[in-house]
Amino acid sequence: LFSKPTPVYEEKEVPVLGTIVRVKVAGDKVSSNVLLNTAEQELYRIHNKFSPNVESSVVHKLNTDGRVEVDEEALFLFQAAYNYAVITGGAFDPTVRPLLKLWGFDDINSQKKVPTQEEINKALENVDYRFIKVDEKNREISLLKDGVEVDLGGIAKGYAIDLVIQKIKGIDPEATGFVDAGGDIGIIGPKFGELPWVIGIRDPFSQDALKSIDTIYLTSGAVVTSGDYERFFTEDGKKYHHIIDPEDGYPARNASSVTVIAEKAMIADVFSTALFVLGYDNPALDYFTDFGIQAFVISPAGESVQTKGFDYFREKM
Ligand code: ADP
């Protein structure tokens, strides 16, 4: 009997979507490098199509013209963003861009600073997902008010991960590995075809990026962690990070880390941002499991809460 050769993992890092996306894959039918090239192409395509800072993107066009005609894929992503804004009561809100700009989180090159209350109040007038109109029939997205700007940063990374996995599996259904977009991880297939990938959840209170407080095991699906240590600056001894509470315009203060596990990275991505805004003392946490997620939330004081099914992923199967 011939036994299958051990899969050979190859890796590639692609700097897109405001982070570095690391793809690690072992092909079964085709060479790993073929799969990595496909992944890279898809990542650049998604970045150029949806980044508000790329002039040819649909989001840039929407923000400058107030309306844009979209293809099926863009319609899907805008619709998803809108629907999740509704579901999360606006905690996830794709119109936070005016606030991101004020704080300097709209682009890696932006100047980071604490805005004045007046600036925040003014920007808040333009932040509300209900200012987005998704016209499915005419395939058109429009903004209903001057000054409104969209940023799909809280959903596009997750979408990109899912798409890369889908493309890789389309070419080579037995391929294994994972896609890691700065802490947003989607599993292509179990390690060596059978073992779970071991994922450390970073300790949000440690400077050491490698210190973890928790370990989870995944053979499929996705895990996304949003932390206040990911993108932040300090001013006058206070720390300001990149997830903005659309309610008051300040970086969300009721969580220091949120980990969400779901079948799809896009859903995990959205809910990690939303739950970060909704915070540690959010009575609706278990309600969100209806959307197929499990979550683990750490408060700024170090307390933690989790949904009922989260423990399952701490067990090595
Ligand atoms: P990260 O993995 O870097 O933590 P997240 O998936 O948590 O990223 O999303 C953070 C990004 O989402 C921000 O960089 C910004 O573009 C956008 N964002 C910030 N606050 C919100 C919000 N309340 N709703 C939707 N998107 C947001």
Side-chain angles (χ1 to χ4, degrees), residues 90-94 96 100 105 151-155 157 181-184 224-227 230-231 242-246 269 272-273 277:
F92 172 85
D93 190 325
V96 289
L100 294 172
F105 289 119
D151 184 325
L152 298 179
I155 190 169
K157 245 188 304 172
D184 299 13
V224 171
T225 299
S226 286
E230 270 170 68
R231 264 178 275 169
H242 70 306
I243 296 175
I244 305 292
D245 186 343
D269 198 12
S272 70
T273 303
V277 170

Side-chain angles (χ1 to χ4, degrees), residues 36 45 49 59 66 73 115 142 154 185 192 274 299:
L36 286 180
R45 189 182 68 78
K49 187 166 177 179
V59 177
E73 180 183 49
S142 46
I185 295 165
F192 301 125
S299 80

Side-chain angles (χ1 to χ4, degrees), residues 44 53 67 200 207 260 272 284 296:
Y44 280 121
N53 303 318
R67 52 175 293 267
Q207 308 274 46
V260 176
S272 70
F296 176 57

Side-chain angles (χ1 to χ4, degrees), residues 76-77 80-81 84 92 154-162 222 224 262-272:
F76 165 80
L77 200 59
Y84 285 117
F92 172 85
I155 190 169
K157 245 188 304 172
Y159 173 71
I161 292 171
D162 291 336
V224 171
E263 202 49 57
K264 294 285 177 202
M266 184 179 86
I267 292 169
D269 198 12
V270 165
F271 280 101
S272 70

Side-chain angles (χ1 to χ4, degrees), residues 282-293:
N282 154 35
L285 186 64
D286 268 304
Y287 154 79
F288 289 110
T289 57
D290 287 357
F291 299 96
I293 66 152

Side-chain angles (χ1 to χ4, degrees), residues 12-58:
K12 187 166 238 170
E13 292 192 340
V14 189
V16 284
L17 302 164
T19 185
I20 291 170
V21 182
R22 183 161 72 104
V23 183
K24 181 167 172 147
V25 70
D28 179 60
K29 278 198 186 57
V30 301
S31 90
S32 305
N33 277 314
V34 169
L35 301 174
L36 286 180
N37 289 339
T38 303
E40 184 179 31
Q41 266 175 32
E42 275 306 305
L43 288 168
Y44 280 121
R45 189 182 68 78
I46 296 298
H47 175 86
N48 290 329
K49 187 166 177 179
F50 293 109
S51 168
N53 303 318
V54 171
E55 282 197 15
S56 55
S57 78
V58 283

